Amino acid sequence: MATPIFNASCSFSSSKVIDCKSYAGLRSPASKVRIASLPIAAIHRRSLVVRASESNGQAKKLGRSDAECEAAVVAGKAPEAPPVPPKPAAPAGTPISQPLNLNRRPRRNRASPFARAAFQETNISPANFVYPLFIHEGEEDTPIGAMPGCYRLGWRHGLVEEVAKARAVGVNSIVLFPKVPEALKNPTGDEAYNDNGLVPRTIRLLKDKYPDLVIYTDVALDPYSSDGHDGIVREDGVIMNDETVHQLCKQAVSQARAGADVVSPSDMMDGRVGAIRAALDAEGFQNVSIMSYTAKYASSFYGPFREALDSNPRFGDKKTLCGYNKFWYLLHKSYQMNPANYREALIEAREDEAEGADILLVKPGLPYLDIIRLLRDKSSLPIAAYQVSGEYSMIKAGGVLKMIDEEKVMMESLMCLRRAGADIILTYFALQAATCLCGEKR
Ligand code: PBG
């Protein structure tokens, strides 16, 4: 089959810095077969090549000397060439036609596995992945129904083991999403900046176990908000921008204090990147990066994630709802972008860049490849793509139902995100895909 296979040989020591150098590309499973079926003469010729190292610098005598061979050719006695291979037969009924007069036949550059590998434009490696992990206060790992293969991991055990597995296949970057106990949620999401809360505690534990692990955090109030929104919801349904940014700054600083390497505001409030940068710098965290969710769309592809964290937006009781507008605004998390919009992503990107973002993120991934390409072309900053829960679950479901080949579709979708211009990809497939890239069996 001509379907791409991604392969790489990696060997990692899980305790060391991980760097998947051999990254991999498309390798046709046909390549081995082709080598085996090279014309006999070609194989024979190869086997006569003698390396200097094997012969201790001395010519190995196989027959006539070089001088004798040259003399024979000069005398017109060239050695016999291997026979011309017969022309492959076309099936009966193939029309007889004149060759088209084409200057360019692009198929030449993709005709063999060797050409395909040589001219491959995009590669993918475990170093490109950021692994999103769900954590909770419990001791057990609880499966997430809508995301087969994903768990709410116990922060002390399950999480630490999952991180070890990821590092063993070259994935050394993670992003944490907490499930916060209901009793700790309130309308202003204050638990978000509790230095002893689940996320800061977990960061400290991970940094203690794996000092070189790269930890990304999510900056938004939704896991901590009793309204399930990324910001503070006013009585009339408006998400209060500047007051929310105040909270986000405290959240980001608390995460940085715990040891986070990259804080990632996913809330889509205006001006939060600049405010967070200033807050981090004021506290001495000049080296903590900001990955901004630059273009985060109000997408239905987030459904399974909201189930995972139990963070579906709530709207208060009917009395506080003042009509259709508020309901619509909150229901669709309309502080996030309209999926119909393209140019607006550029406005967001320019702002984030000017405010000091280090990485620009597009979310979701596959349905928004045009936005990834847009930002790639218009900005010099690294671009991240988030292959979100709905994208993951669809591929998993298609695989379980045997409608698609899960592994191949997974690898193709990730490669396509890279091709569109993503440097890094946040994906729930990180461990599975890296395992596949490293050529290990799951
Ligand atoms: C919210 C947040 C969301 C995701 C990441 N951070 C969901 C939302 O906006 O409700 C979604 C990720 C996914 O679907 O995989 N701060």
Side-chain angles (χ1 to χ4, degrees):
M1 271 223 295
T3 319
I5 294 274
F6 301 72
N7 219 333
S9 51
C10 319
S11 60
F12 299 117
S13 145
S14 50
S15 60
K16 288 239 184 95
V17 179
I18 285 156
D19 173 16
C20 191
K21 293 187 197 84
S22 42
Y23 118 1
L26 301 164
R27 199 164 82 180
S28 164
S31 63
K32 284 200 185 108
V33 180
R34 294 267 181 101
I35 292 167
S37 65
L38 278 177
I40 304 289
I43 293 170
H44 188 58
R45 253 198 318 273
R46 282 177 171 211
S47 66
L48 290 183
V49 174
V50 178
R51 269 184 276 136
S53 59
E54 287 167 13
S55 59
N56 295 330
Q58 288 188 352
K60 198 170 169 189
K61 191 99 173 106
L62 291 171
R64 292 184 296 174
S65 70
D66 291 353
E68 286 164 348
C69 291
E70 284 193 5
V73 170
V74 170
K77 287 186 226 130
E80 234 172 81
V84 177
K87 233 181 165 184
T94 302
I96 301 186
S97 67
Q98 286 301 311
L100 296 174
N101 186 14
L102 301 181
N103 274 340
R104 203 165 285 288
R105 288 184 183 259
R107 286 178 57 186
R108 282 197 285 263
N109 280 352
R110 52 178 194 259
S112 74
F114 309 107
R116 292 180 86 91
F119 305 135
Q120 179 164 323
E121 298 173 33
T122 308
N123 290 324
I124 191 163
S125 109
N128 301 124
F129 299 144
V130 179
Y131 192 13
L133 294 168
F134 299 108
I135 50 173
H136 69 158
E137 296 283 3
E139 298 283 313
E140 266 147 40
D141 302 336
T142 318
I144 298 166
M147 300 176 70
C150 289
Y151 296 80
R152 275 184 222 130
L153 299 164
W155 69 283
R156 278 205 292 198
H157 305 292
L159 171 69
V160 175
E161 283 161 28
E162 192 71 5
V163 169
K165 281 188 217 159
R167 282 162 62 89
V169 289
V171 177
N172 194 43
S173 299
I174 61 155
V175 55
L176 294 172
F177 291 104
K179 169 154 183 350
V180 175
E182 269 325 290
L184 296 179
K185 299 184 183 181
N186 70 5
T188 45
D190 298 299
E191 177 64 12
Y193 51 86
N194 173 2
D195 282 344
N196 248 332
L198 179 55
V199 167
R201 218 185 312 135
T202 302
I203 296 172
R204 291 200 297 271
L205 173 74
L206 288 175
K207 283 284 176 179
D208 183 50
K209 297 238 181 236
Y210 313 112
D212 61 354
L213 179 70
V214 180
I215 303 183
Y216 291 65
T217 54
D218 192 58
V219 180
L221 297 185
D222 56 321
Y224 310 94
S225 153
S226 43
D227 295 310
H229 281 283
D230 294 6
I232 301 171
V233 188
R234 209 167 61 186
E235 190 188 19
D236 60 358
V238 168
I239 303 278
M240 303 174 77
N241 191 89
D242 302 12
E243 295 77 359
T244 296
V245 170
H246 179 88
Q247 299 289 74
L248 299 177
C249 288
K250 287 162 87 174
Q251 182 181 19
V253 167
S254 169
Q255 293 167 346
R257 205 178 283 131
D261 298 281
V262 186
V263 298
S264 325
S266 68
D267 52 284
M268 292 307 279
M269 297 301 118
D270 296 331
R272 89 280 204 212
V273 171
I276 289 173
R277 183 73 270 158
L280 290 172
D281 290 353
E283 296 285 329
F285 297 115
Q286 277 79 5
N287 294 331
V288 171
S289 303
I290 299 179
M291 176 170 76
S292 174
Y293 283 57
T294 295
K296 178 175 180 180
Y297 287 86
S299 170
S300 300
F301 285 94
Y302 307 149
F305 174 96
R306 291 180 188 168
E307 185 206 304
L309 293 190
D310 205 5
S311 68
N312 263 307
R314 271 178 287 274
F315 317 107
D317 60 43
K318 278 259 161 78
K319 273 175 263 155
T320 56
L321 288 175
C322 45
Y324 174 81
N325 273 346
K326 174 190 172 181
F327 184 75
W328 185 88
Y329 185 80
L330 291 182
L331 179 62
H332 295 278
K333 283 205 165 184
S334 299
Y335 38 96
Q336 300 173 355
M337 287 169 57
N338 181 348
N341 288 3
Y342 174 83
R343 296 190 313 271
E344 191 183 351
L346 212 47
I347 298 176
E348 291 283 358
R350 287 185 184 133
E351 280 307 314
D352 286 354
E353 216 170 316
E355 290 176 30
D358 299 286
I359 305 166
L360 306 180
L361 181 141
V362 176
K363 178 182 174 185
L366 221 50
Y368 295 81
L369 290 182
D370 56 333
I371 310 298
I372 296 172
R373 171 50 55 190
L374 174 70
L375 297 201
R376 166 72 298 139
D377 288 344
K378 300 285 181 186
S379 172
S380 309
L381 290 176
I383 304 297
Y386 198 145
Q387 182 179 53
V388 300
S389 54
E391 299 175 69
Y392 170 85
S393 298
M394 288 195 305
I395 295 174
K396 281 282 175 190
V400 168
L401 294 175
K402 304 227 179 307
M403 289 175 168
I404 54 169
D405 180 322
E406 176 186 319
E407 199 161 271
K408 286 181 178 144
V409 172
M410 163 184 81
M411 293 313 301
E412 186 177 332
S413 67
L414 295 167
M415 182 64 91
C416 292
L417 290 164
R418 294 268 303 143
R419 190 202 62 233
D423 298 287
I424 56 171
I425 304 170
L426 283 70
T427 174
Y428 304 99
F429 281 124
L431 175 57
Q432 190 182 342
T435 305
C436 178
L437 284 170
C438 290
E440 292 175 17
K441 269 275 145 260
R442 270 182 294 147

